[in-house]
Each structure stands twice: as C-alpha cells, then as structure tokens.
C-alpha cells in the first residue's frame, strides 16, 4: 500500500543529465511508494522558451501556495546555450527568479558518509552554508568607464529632500564602476532565517563580513545581524548554541581548522563561492543538498550541482554514465520530510528517512558512482552506473521496514 501524502508538492523538472536522473529517481524511488499529489512544472529550457519563462513564475507561485517545492537542476542560458538550443533570448536563471519571488535564504548542507572522507581531515560534522540570496553584485548596476571622468553614487530621496552624492572615483583613463545595494528588511529576514535554522538544528551560528574595510555596507550587515541575534539570545541559550561574528577572512580560516558542525551565514557572493569550496572539501558536488527557506516558511529543495552537462553529452552518444544522484534523491527526501512535518504525517517523514538510510547503506556498502569511487576509503574496485546505483538503492529501500 503506498503511503498517502496529505498535501501537494510542487515538482520542477529540469535539464540535461540532471533531468535524466530525475526521471529515474521518480520512477524507481518515489512513485511506487507514495500516493502523492504532484503539481508538475516543466522548467526544462524548451518549455521556458515556449512560455517566455512564465512557467518559472507559475512554479514559484505554486510553491507559495502549497509550501513545498522540489527542483531538478536547470540550464541558466548564456550566449552559447542560446545557440545550442535555439532560444528566443538568454532567459534569467530560474533559481534567481524563484529566489526573488520567495525572498529567502539558501542553506547548503553536505551529506556525510563513513567511507567518503573529507579532503579537510579535521572535518567531522557538516558545515552548513546559509547564503543570503538577495542583492549585492547579483542585482548590481555596472559599466565600463571608457575614459577620464568622475563616477558618482547619487541617492534621490522620495520625500523630495536633498540629494546625496558620493564620489566613487576620478578616472584618468579606462576602468570599471559598479553600484550595488541591499535592504534592511532582506538582511533582517536573512538573519532570522539563519537564527531559526541554527536553533532548530542546535548548531552554532557564525556570520562573517568585511566590516573593517566596508564600514557602512558590511557594517550595516554586521549590525542588523547582531541585533537579530541579540533578540534571540534566550532561544540561543536554551538550545545551547552560540552566535559568533567574525571577519570573513578569519571565518574562512576558522572553518577550515574546525571539525564542522556549524551554520556559516554568508553574504550573497561569499555564499556562492564558499558553498563550492565546502562541497568539494566534503567530497563531491553530488553530495551537496540545498534548500531555499522563505521568511514565511515556504521551502524549495534541490541538489546544489548543475545539469552535469559533460555526462549528458556522453549519454546522448549512447555511452554509459555514472552520475551521482544522491543530492537529487535528498532533494526529494528533504521535501517529503518537511511536507510530513508540516502535515503532521509521521509515516511520510519516516519514508523520507528510510530512503536516506537506503542511499547511505548503498554507498557505505561499496556501491557508488565514479565521483565517489575516486575518493572512497577503503577503496572500491568498481563504480556503479547511474541506473545501477538507483536500482541498488531501490533494492535496499524495499528490504527496509517502515518504508
Ligand atoms: P555542474 O553541472 O554542477 O557540473 C560541474 C562538474 O561537476 C561536472 O562536469 C562533474 O564533473 C561534476 N559533477 C556535478 N554534479 C555531479 C554529479 N551529480 N555526479 C557526478 N559529477 C558531478 O556545473 P556546470 O558544468 O558549471 O553547469 C552545467 C549547467 O548547469 C549550466 O547550464 C548551468 O547553468 C547549470 N547549473 C544549474 C544549477 C541549478 O539549477 N541549481 C546550478 C549550477 C549550474 P566531471 O565532468 O569532471 O565528472
Ligand atoms: Mg556558485
């Protein structure tokens, strides 16, 4: 008897190799076991192009309505992709569109397996990155300065008061200039999301910025974050966890020397860069999960990696592939567990946990894709193809009680 999932989940399909493994996962690990109302949105590049990208906005609106979404990796087109797929234009990043509609914080957490030792030997527990997903260089205005002249930053108050003008630089020749922004409300909700996550998971919260150099911009982040942490002091104390502010360069050094087990809150760019560093440090992009949490408690789960395009071209040539589906499976289990938690349906939560255990049991039992085989300790003699790995997980799932 399939397990009944009370409320719907928004499923967003994607592109290339990620799409291929997505369909295998759904067919072999999800639909046979669950009676699930799926709201399906095809965010594959062709469908986005046909709908002038309205499909992405509709999917984000559906997450707002149902509360839970699960997303496959998608192509963010550049000029080469426009040509490759004959697109009408360079559509925006679907993740960027969804983030700006839900206004959230992205948390990235590595999956740890006993036989996949991290590259940094001190790391024992997950390092979770909380990335502020709004503003800074991701919503900047910039240009190339063609020759001598002055660049200024100008603010015009809506109330009609006096303009504020700050000189950026007197150029004596060619150069570049950029203006960027953030908002107090977005920073505050970023801080709150990180505080809730850290207290919920009972892990310390670190926040790093460069306030020694950027006294106003980064200083503003430090102050707003600090105020929110101060307001939550009692909750921190009763959860037995601490808040720490560090200079970003010190944070990097301390994180590498630590045994892990903290939430590292990062400004947008730092989070983008550091999550790749942490993912690689823990073994493979194929083991990094990602969840977008909105201030009003909506969740969107996905794998942190992209569409794994090199593997897809091999797949198109008819060659076997060994693409790691673990993070995509954990996107589903994350969504299902959260759905069950919100709906108060414990059998759904239990199914999600059982599926995660089946994945870990497969890898720890020596069945793994090539990316993991290269770093496994003890060594394994052969790697599983993508489908073989998913079949091995399905077998272990069927054997488990409580599925
Ligand atoms: P990527 O798809 O993450 O792949 C980068 C490399 O990492 C792969 O070539 C592969 O290395 C390895 N890798 C990543 N995931 C893996 C997995 N599950 N199993 C095994 N190896 C894995 O990043 P990309 O090549 O920069 O981007 C490709 C496309 O994905 C782009 O169009 C980009 O826009 C899109 N993208 C989407 C998202 C998203 O939707 N969230 C995120 C990032 C990128 P080897 O080739 O060495 O095996
Ligand atoms: Mg990145």
């Amino acid at each position: 008897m399939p397990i009944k999932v009370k409320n719907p989940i928004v499923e967003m399909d994607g592109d290339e190799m990620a799409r291929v493994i997505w369909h295998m996962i759904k067919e072999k690990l999800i639909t046979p076991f669950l009676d699930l109302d799926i709201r399906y949105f095809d965010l594959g590049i062709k469908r986005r192009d046909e709908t002038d990208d309205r499909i992405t906005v509709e999917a984000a609106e559906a997450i707002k309505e149902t509360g839970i979404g699960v997303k496959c990796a998608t192509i963010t087109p550049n000029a080469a992709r426009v040509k490759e797929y004959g697109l009408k234009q360079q559509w925006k990043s679907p993740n960027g569109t969804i983030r700006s509609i839900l206004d959230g914080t992205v948390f990235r957490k590595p999956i740890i397996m006993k036989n996949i030792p991290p590259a940094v030997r001190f790391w024992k527990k997950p390092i979770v990155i909380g990335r502020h997903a709004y503003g800074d260089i991701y919503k900047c205005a910039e240009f190339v300065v063609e020759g001598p002249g002055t660049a200024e930053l100008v603010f015009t108050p809506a109330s009609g008061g006096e303009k504020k003008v700050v000189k950026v630089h007197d150029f004596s020749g060619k150069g570049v200039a950029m203006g960027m922004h953030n908002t107090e409300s977005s920073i505050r909700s970023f801080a709150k999301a990180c505080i809730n996550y850290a207290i919920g998971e009972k892990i310390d919260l670190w926040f790093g910025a460069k306030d020694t150099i950027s006294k106003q911009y980064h200083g503003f982040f430090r102050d707003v974050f600090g105020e929110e942490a101060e307001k939550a002091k009692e909750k921190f104390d009763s959860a037995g966890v601490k808040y720490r502010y560090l200079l970003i360069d010190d944070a990097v050094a301390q994180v590498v020397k630590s045994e892990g087990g903290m939430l590292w809150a990062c400004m947008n760019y730092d989070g983008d860069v550091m999550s790749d560093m942490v993912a690689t440090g823990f073994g493979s992009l194929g083991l990094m999960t990602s969840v977008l949490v909105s201030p009003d408690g909506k969740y969107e789960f996905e794998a942190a990696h992209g569409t794994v395009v090199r593997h897809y071209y091999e797949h198109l040539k008819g060659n076997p592939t060994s693409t790691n589906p673990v993070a995509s499976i954990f996107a589903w289990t994350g969504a299902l567990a959260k759905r069950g938690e919100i709906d108060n349906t414990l059998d759904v939560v239990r199914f999600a946990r059982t599926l995660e255990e089946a994945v870990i049991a497969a890898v720890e039992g020596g069945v793994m894709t090539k990316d993991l085989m290269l770093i496994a300790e003890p060594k394994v003699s052969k790697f599983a193809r993508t489908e073989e790995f998913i079949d091995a997980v399905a077998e272990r799932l069927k054997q488990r009680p409580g599925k």
Side-chain angles (χ1 to χ4, degrees):
M1 265 288 273
I3 297 163
K4 171 92 186 128
V5 183
K6 206 157 137 195
N7 285 302
I9 284 182
V10 174
E11 177 196 355
M12 288 153 284
D13 211 337
D15 289 300
E16 300 187 319
M17 202 59 209
R19 185 181 180 104
V20 175
I21 59 179
W22 192 258
H23 286 234
M24 288 183 197
I25 292 168
K26 204 176 149 189
E27 181 200 330
K28 296 187 176 203
L29 302 176
I30 305 296
T31 42
F33 302 96
L34 299 174
D35 172 7
L36 173 60
D37 174 8
I38 289 177
R39 303 276 162 90
Y40 178 84
F41 292 84
D42 185 357
L43 301 196
I45 190 69
K46 284 197 192 113
R47 188 78 191 123
R48 278 183 278 148
D49 199 49
E50 279 163 21
T51 61
D52 293 335
D53 210 20
R54 274 192 309 276
I55 189 87
T56 308
V57 175
E58 285 165 15
E61 296 295 344
I63 300 173
K64 272 190 154 173
E65 207 182 293
T66 62
I68 308 281
V70 58
K71 180 179 168 292
C72 175
T74 46
I75 291 171
T76 298
N78 53 18
R81 297 299 212 152
V82 169
K83 221 165 146 197
E84 180 180 2
Y85 286 91
L87 306 177
K88 293 180 202 158
Q89 66 176 77
Q90 271 188 39
W91 302 109
K92 281 194 254 171
S93 150
N95 287 25
T97 302
I98 295 167
R99 280 201 294 265
S100 60
I101 293 175
L102 294 180
D103 173 27
T105 302
V106 175
F107 295 98
R108 289 194 161 181
K109 183 180 177 184
I111 301 156
I112 293 190
M113 319 255 191
K114 283 202 196 88
N115 54 340
I116 309 297
V120 178
R121 65 188 145 87
F122 313 114
W123 290 355
K124 303 233 158 20
K125 302 177 195 160
I127 294 163
V128 184
I129 300 241
R131 173 180 169 190
H132 184 207
Y134 177 82
D136 303 349
I137 64 163
Y138 302 84
K139 275 223 179 292
C140 72
E142 58 177 7
F143 52 76
V144 172
V145 173
E146 293 299 343
T150 303
E152 291 173 334
L153 213 52
V154 182
F155 175 74
T156 313
S159 61
E162 209 178 313
K163 282 189 186 201
K164 201 174 197 170
V165 182
V166 182
K167 183 164 80 185
V168 176
H169 191 63
D170 280 326
F171 286 88
S172 56
K174 200 168 173 175
V176 279
M178 174 198 278
M180 62 185 199
H181 81 283
N182 225 298
T183 67
E184 182 178 341
S185 72
S186 178
I187 300 167
R188 225 170 263 291
S189 54
F190 163 57
K192 283 184 190 153
C194 291
I195 290 164
N196 289 340
Y197 188 101
I199 290 170
E201 300 282 314
K202 294 200 174 17
I203 51 178
D204 285 351
L205 171 60
W206 294 14
F207 176 54
K210 194 73 182 178
D211 61 316
T212 45
I213 298 300
S214 167
K215 294 192 177 359
Q216 307 232 3
Y217 200 109
H218 285 230
F220 190 80
F221 268 82
R222 176 205 57 214
D223 291 347
V224 171
F225 213 109
E227 280 165 27
E228 291 301 323
E230 188 55 38
K231 282 188 213 158
K233 201 173 174 322
E234 274 174 29
K235 285 193 208 154
F236 273 111
D237 290 344
S238 59
V241 298
K242 288 195 182 63
Y243 170 67
R244 240 180 122 178
Y245 174 79
L246 307 90
L247 266 181
I248 184 67
D249 26 4
D250 187 26
V252 173
Q254 298 293 332
V255 162
V256 172
K257 285 194 294 186
S258 78
E259 63 163 29
M262 77 290 282
L263 167 61
W264 181 11
C266 291
M267 288 173 69
N268 209 346
Y269 177 81
D270 297 336
D272 186 349
V273 176
M274 290 305 156
S275 57
D276 283 19
M277 188 276 283
V278 169
T280 314
F282 273 105
S284 165
L285 263 176
L287 293 183
M288 192 64 144
T289 64
S290 179
V291 57
L292 172 70
V293 183
S294 80
D296 53 347
K298 315 289 182 205
Y299 294 80
E300 187 224 335
F301 294 83
E302 63 170 344
H305 62 75
T307 63
V308 212
V309 57
R310 202 185 55 76
H311 297 210
Y312 183 60
Y313 294 149
E314 289 305 311
H315 172 80
L316 288 182
K317 282 189 240 159
N319 295 332
T321 57
S322 182
T323 312
N324 189 344
V326 170
S328 298
I329 299 171
F330 273 65
W332 276 101
T333 58
L336 287 165
K338 187 52 85 177
R339 181 76 280 171
E341 193 187 308
I342 293 172
D343 297 350
N344 206 7
T345 47
L346 291 182
D347 49 347
V348 176
V349 179
R350 203 177 313 124
F351 171 78
R353 297 300 169 228
T354 308
L355 175 50
E356 291 175 353
E357 285 163 23
V359 170
I360 292 171
V363 176
E364 292 186 350
V367 184
M368 61 189 76
T369 45
K370 194 173 180 181
D371 55 320
L372 299 185
M373 186 193 86
L374 297 171
I375 53 174
E377 205 72 69
K379 298 248 167 289
V380 289
S381 54
K382 72 180 195 57
F383 62 83
R385 284 182 277 125
T386 311
E387 190 148 21
E388 280 171 350
F389 179 78
I390 292 175
D391 286 338
V393 173
E395 223 171 88
R396 282 164 180 75
L397 179 61
K398 284 180 198 139
Q399 284 160 7
R400 269 160 209 267
K403 61 159 196 304

